Amino acid sequence: MRVPKRLLLAAGVGLLSARRLLNAPFDLRGRSVLISGGSRGLGLALAREFAARGARLTLLARTAADLDRAAADLRGRGATVHTVTGDVTVDADVRRAVEEANRQHGRLDVVVNNAGIITVGPLENMTEEHFRESLEVNTLAPLRLTRAALPFLRARGGRVLIVASVGAKVGVPHLAPYSVSKFAVAGLGQALRSELAREGVGVTTVCPGLMRTGSPRHAGVTGQAEKEYALFATVDNAPVLSLDAAEAARRIVDALVRGDAETMVGGPALLLRYAQALAPQLTADLLALGGRLLPAPVPGAPTVPGSEAETRVTERNPIKQRAEADLNEGGPTVKPETT
């Protein structure tokens, strides 16, 4: 006997509603939250959101000056903040951050894997090193940080948040290393959730679309750098296509509190995910067409920070300027990076 599709849909909605009613939200009041890449961009927006819900914070990032500014911002909002200067690709730094978070706040309840890098440009200008570096920071660093924190998370029935991307569901042209690493980290999130559930540790993977975090100036850009950056920075700050960082942070933290396995963040990201699932061939053809319209490769072009590829068009974009100023993205760029 064939089961009507409407009945299956109703049953699915009912099960989802029942799950949310039966599962108590994860109360963040008094919890200790460690955020990698927490000094600027989305990391800082997430820190503000966690602090507003009563959490105590530890921020891990590479640049002490960025951490100092972020901590001052958060303390001005009444937050309890500790900072750790370190690199998520260095085991000793990761272990130190976990231990300091536990020591400073007397516990560690939540680990937010937010730090990441992105390189923009055509595949021909991407080297194997671009892929290796993206995998190291975007995929292996979350594994490293989560493993280091597990003894504390087990003791508290804690949570792990992995910030992936819509690029974890759809391979975007001129973002090949980024998409590869984000596909991998989404798989990591699924694997961790299924294995850590029996230990009482919840894992949530979020896949945001474009967000106005002010981070493009810290991205790596290769090929026709000025053109690549102009497109990336403009689209990233388009009001209809991109989501306000504070709103994105609210939705991401909501997903963690609910205990979602995986959540798409932003309407365009959700639409692209559904398009890929329902019409993969058409989506692939449209992305291929879009790729043909992007700037052509330049043999031997170096990779430079977005801040070095600024033009008057991007530099004077008022939406971009506001995001950079609000989310601590205006300082000197040490290395192509986005968090």
Side-chain angles (χ1 to χ4, degrees), residues 117-129:
I117 61 171
I118 186 169
T119 307
V120 184
L123 180 63
E124 187 173 321
N125 285 115
M126 299 293 184
T127 66
E128 187 172 312
E129 182 57 29

Side-chain angles (χ1 to χ4, degrees), residues 7-315:
L7 183 59
L8 288 173
L9 179 61
V13 171
L15 288 172
L16 179 61
S17 299
R19 177 187 178 279
R20 290 191 174 179
L21 287 172
L22 293 173
N23 286 357
F26 189 76
D27 190 355
L28 289 168
R29 288 175 296 180
R31 303 277 191 173
S32 169
V33 179
L34 170 60
I35 306 174
S36 70
S39 65
R40 54 184 172 82
L42 178 61
L44 179 54
L46 286 169
R48 291 173 180 170
E49 184 65 26
F50 277 109
R53 301 189 192 206
R56 293 174 287 172
L57 307 174
T58 301
L59 309 182
L60 169 62
R62 291 182 306 172
T63 307
D66 287 348
L67 283 167
D68 290 343
R69 287 191 296 270
D73 173 281
L74 292 161
R75 287 173 185 142
R77 298 166 188 262
T80 300
V81 189
H82 177 66
T83 63
V84 179
T85 304
D87 190 322
V88 292
T89 67
V90 178
D91 285 339
D93 289 356
V94 168
R95 289 194 299 270
R96 177 165 51 85
V98 167
E99 290 165 1
E100 286 195 27
N102 182 66
R103 183 170 61 252
Q104 286 290 324
H105 303 304
R107 58 194 293 167
L108 178 57
D109 302 278
V110 179
V111 168
V112 178
N113 292 287
N114 167 73
I117 61 171
I118 186 169
T119 307
V120 184
L123 180 63
E124 187 173 321
N125 285 115
M126 299 293 184
T127 66
E128 187 172 312
E129 182 57 29
H130 285 117
F131 285 87
R132 289 184 182 277
E133 186 177 27
S134 292
L135 286 165
E136 181 66 36
V137 177
N138 296 347
T139 309
L140 295 178
L143 173 62
R144 183 179 296 112
L145 181 55
T146 301
R147 277 183 158 171
L150 270 179
F152 304 106
L153 299 178
R154 289 189 188 107
R156 297 286 180 179
R159 296 286 174 95
V160 176
L161 178 65
I162 293 177
V163 179
S165 167
V166 66
K169 301 300 176 181
V170 182
V172 181
H174 285 220
L175 292 175
Y178 179 77
S179 283
V180 168
S181 65
K182 291 298 185 178
F183 265 80
V185 83
L188 173 64
Q190 290 182 15
L192 289 175
R193 184 177 177 89
S194 61
E195 296 223 21
L196 297 182
R198 66 179 181 180
E199 301 180 45
V201 177
V203 179
T204 295
T205 302
V206 292
C207 298
L210 294 168
M211 297 172 289
R212 298 190 290 277
T213 63
S215 62
R217 71 186 308 276
H218 290 273
V221 190
T222 187
Q224 298 185 53
E226 288 189 359
K227 290 183 179 180
E228 294 283 356
Y229 181 74
L231 284 168
F232 179 57
T234 300
V235 173
D236 194 62
N237 288 282
V240 176
L241 296 177
S242 64
L243 191 63
D244 176 75
E247 176 62 18
R250 184 187 66 79
R251 296 185 192 184
I252 289 170
V253 177
D254 281 347
L256 175 81
V257 167
R258 289 193 303 264
D260 292 356
E262 188 174 279
T263 299
M264 304 300 294
V265 180
L270 190 61
L271 288 173
L272 192 54
R273 165 74 183 276
Y274 280 134
Q276 171 71 13
L278 298 174
Q281 186 63 55
L282 176 60
T283 303
D285 289 345
L286 290 173
L287 288 169
L289 175 61
R292 293 182 182 185
L293 301 176
L294 294 174
V298 176
T303 300
V304 299
S307 57
E308 294 183 12
E310 289 275 16
T311 63
R312 289 185 178 182
V313 173
T314 56
E315 201 169 35

